[in-house]
Amino acid sequence: MIELDSDNRESIRKLFDHYPCLRGFVAAVIEGDMGKVFVDSQEKPRMALSVLEFHFLAGDPLHANPQQLEKLLQPGGMVIAPTPAWQQLVTAIYPNPLDIDHREAFQVDKFDVERLRQFCQAVPSGFELRQVRLEEVTQFAADLNPYLGYNFRSHEDLMTRGVALGILHQGRFVSGASSAAVGGGKVEIDIHTHEQFRRRGLARAVAAALILYCLDRGLEPCWDAANEPSSALARQLGFRSTGKYEALNLPDDESATG
C-alpha cells in the first residue's frame, strides 16, 4: 500500500464519491490537508484507506491486501466498512467478533435560518453563547473536550481554519460546538455538553450558532450521530437522516489481531 501526499489525493475522489456517512471527514481527507491516505496504486487506485479519527475504506475490497491492511488499521480504532464485502474482509482479519457501534448519517437540503436563530436566542439567563477565543481554547478543551483540535496542527490552526463556539456559565464552558474536520467547503460538527447541564437546550443553541456560522461563510455543516440523542438533535436542527450504519471497533491489543 502506498501513502499519498496531502497535495496528491485527487485520484481517490471517485472512490469516495457518494460516501454514505461522515462526509465532512471524507472531504477533509481529500481536500483539507488532514489525515492520511493509503492506496493500492498511486495513479489509478482501485481501493483506498483514509485515516482521520476513523478508518474509511473505499473502492473494491478485492484489490485489498489483508496483511497490509491489517498493519495500517490502528488498534482501538473505528472502521467504516461501507459495503458487506468490506465488512466481511475486515472481520476476517480478526479472530474474535468485533464490537459494533450503531450510528446514523445526516444531510440537509435547506436550513430554516429563522428557526436556528430562535434556538440561539433561547439560551437561559446566566449563560453566554459566543465564539471561543484562541487564548480560551485550552480552557474549552479542559471543560468539555480534551480532543478539541485533535485533527488540526495546532490551536492556532484550529482557530484559523475551523471554529469553536461555547456557552459560558459561572466562568466555565458548559456546552460547546466545534469543527472536528474541515475541507472541500464542508465542516464536520462536534458537540459536547457537560452532563449536569444537559436537557436545557444548550447543545441545540450552540449547534444552531455553529450552523449559522457555516452558512454565513458558504460552508456546508455536516452531522453524523453516534447515539439517539444526537440523532434527535440533528432532526430538530433541520437535518434529515440518510440512513443508519455500523462502525466496527478494532481491539485495543495488537495481539488480538489474526
Side-chain angles (χ1 to χ4, degrees):
M1 302 258 317
I2 304 165
E3 182 174 358
L4 296 181
D5 296 333
S6 59
D7 59 352
N8 187 32
R9 296 177 179 176
E10 184 65 27
S11 62
I12 68 167
R13 183 185 299 278
K14 62 181 181 180
L15 299 180
F16 285 94
D17 275 351
H18 311 297
Y19 209 73
C21 58
L22 294 160
R23 296 166 55 252
F25 278 107
V26 171
V29 170
I30 298 174
E31 301 182 75
D33 190 18
M34 288 184 157
K36 295 183 177 182
V37 175
F38 302 90
V39 294
D40 63 323
S41 168
Q42 186 165 340
E43 299 302 325
K44 295 183 178 180
R46 294 164 293 183
M47 63 79 56
L49 166 66
S50 298
V51 183
L52 180 63
E53 200 163 317
F54 297 81
H55 296 74
F56 299 95
L57 294 165
D60 188 351
L62 294 178
H63 293 287
N65 183 314
Q67 288 75 31
Q68 291 185 7
L69 187 61
E70 178 184 351
K71 294 177 181 177
L72 297 172
L73 296 176
Q74 301 165 3
M78 188 176 292
V79 177
I80 307 300
T83 65
W86 271 118
Q87 294 172 12
Q88 184 177 2
L89 177 61
V90 174
T91 55
I93 294 175
Y94 298 90
N96 299 316
L98 297 176
D99 291 335
I100 295 175
D101 275 12
H102 297 277
R103 302 179 62 92
E104 189 168 12
F106 286 87
Q107 204 168 346
V108 71
D109 299 315
K110 186 177 181 180
F111 286 104
D112 184 337
V113 172
E114 185 55 38
R115 180 176 171 85
L116 294 175
R117 288 175 179 157
Q118 290 173 2
F119 288 154
C120 295
Q121 294 165 0
V123 174
S125 176
F127 294 81
E128 179 190 5
L129 168 58
R130 64 170 172 79
Q131 190 167 336
V132 178
R133 297 186 285 264
L134 176 59
E135 61 271 19
E136 297 173 318
V137 172
T138 300
Q139 179 192 347
F140 183 94
D143 288 344
L144 288 174
N145 177 15
Y147 299 104
L148 175 72
Y150 177 80
N151 297 318
F152 294 83
R153 296 188 184 94
S154 62
H155 288 167
E156 288 80 6
D157 187 36
L158 168 64
M159 292 291 98
T160 299
R161 296 202 289 155
V163 67
L165 300 174
I167 295 180
L168 279 163
H169 177 66
Q170 296 182 352
R172 67 167 175 160
F173 289 102
V174 296
S175 185
S178 59
S179 46
V182 296
K186 294 179 173 58
V187 176
E188 192 76 39
I189 296 177
D190 194 18
I191 304 285
H192 292 270
T193 300
H194 196 282
E195 186 173 0
Q196 73 181 90
F197 290 95
R198 293 173 184 169
R199 305 185 69 83
R200 301 192 191 187
L202 301 182
R204 184 175 62 188
V206 76
L210 182 51
I211 292 169
L212 291 172
Y213 175 95
C214 291
L215 297 180
D216 287 344
R217 290 157 179 79
L219 302 171
E220 178 187 348
C222 298
W223 192 286
D224 197 275
N227 50 53
E228 186 52 42
S230 179
S231 292
L233 178 56
R235 292 183 174 90
Q236 289 182 48
L237 293 165
F239 290 93
R240 62 176 176 82
S241 174
T242 56
K244 296 184 178 181
Y245 68 97
E246 296 179 347
L248 305 175
N249 289 291
L250 302 180
D252 290 322
D253 187 356
E254 291 185 69
S255 65
T257 60

